[in-house]
Amino acid sequence: MIRLVLSLFLFSVVYADGQAPTFMPIDPSEDFYSSSDVYLEVQVMDQSELSQVSLYYRFSRNESFTQLTMEKELYYVGEIPGSEVIPGRLEYYFFARDEYGNQSTWPESGDENPL
């Protein structure tokens, strides 16, 4: 019995799913206003447990991206605090990593080609 349990454990550790998380983006349903909180949602799917889902955003190409850990509700939700929202252009992308270290961004190459 112990050998069976040990074998199953080793199999699950050694056999990573090899698949990066996939995204199903949800278009924002509202306009963004200066000094108002901004909520962005995304659905992330993977065969394994997700260890990290993040939103990266910035309001100017001259700035670096700010990372925000997304919370799981019905979908993953990221809230940009109103104190950081400024008029102009919002650029963002999503990042996810599963328990085996497989990772992906949406859009692909999001740090170079954000939404």
Side-chain angles (χ1 to χ4, degrees):
M1 181 66 170
I2 293 175
R3 282 186 168 192
L4 175 63
V5 171
L6 183 58
S7 296
L8 289 173
F9 174 74
L10 288 175
F11 179 76
S12 69
V13 169
V14 172
Y15 179 71
D17 67 11
Q19 299 294 315
T22 57
F23 294 90
M24 290 190 63
I26 301 167
D27 290 331
S29 60
E30 58 188 54
D31 293 331
F32 305 129
Y33 298 98
S34 182
S35 300
S36 296
D37 295 343
V38 174
Y39 296 91
L40 296 171
E41 298 178 306
V42 68
Q43 183 176 3
V44 186
M45 296 169 288
D46 194 77
Q47 295 176 1
S48 307
E49 185 174 326
L50 294 169
S51 62
Q52 178 185 358
V53 177
S54 297
L55 165 66
Y56 287 83
Y57 67 92
R58 67 183 178 191
F59 290 95
S60 169
R61 289 181 186 238
N62 299 327
E63 298 177 3
S64 59
F65 285 97
T66 300
Q67 184 266 340
L68 179 71
T69 300
M70 299 185 79
E71 300 295 325
K72 174 80 168 153
E73 293 179 7
L74 180 56
Y75 304 110
Y76 284 89
V77 178
E79 177 187 350
I80 302 172
S83 60
E84 296 181 21
V85 177
I86 58 174
R89 178 183 181 119
L90 169 62
E91 294 183 332
Y92 65 94
Y93 67 95
F94 301 106
F95 171 86
R97 178 182 298 127
D98 70 15
E99 64 184 325
Y100 295 108
N102 302 308
Q103 59 190 35
S104 61
T105 60
W106 190 88
E108 193 172 318
S109 301
D111 58 336
E112 297 170 7
N113 188 25
L115 297 171

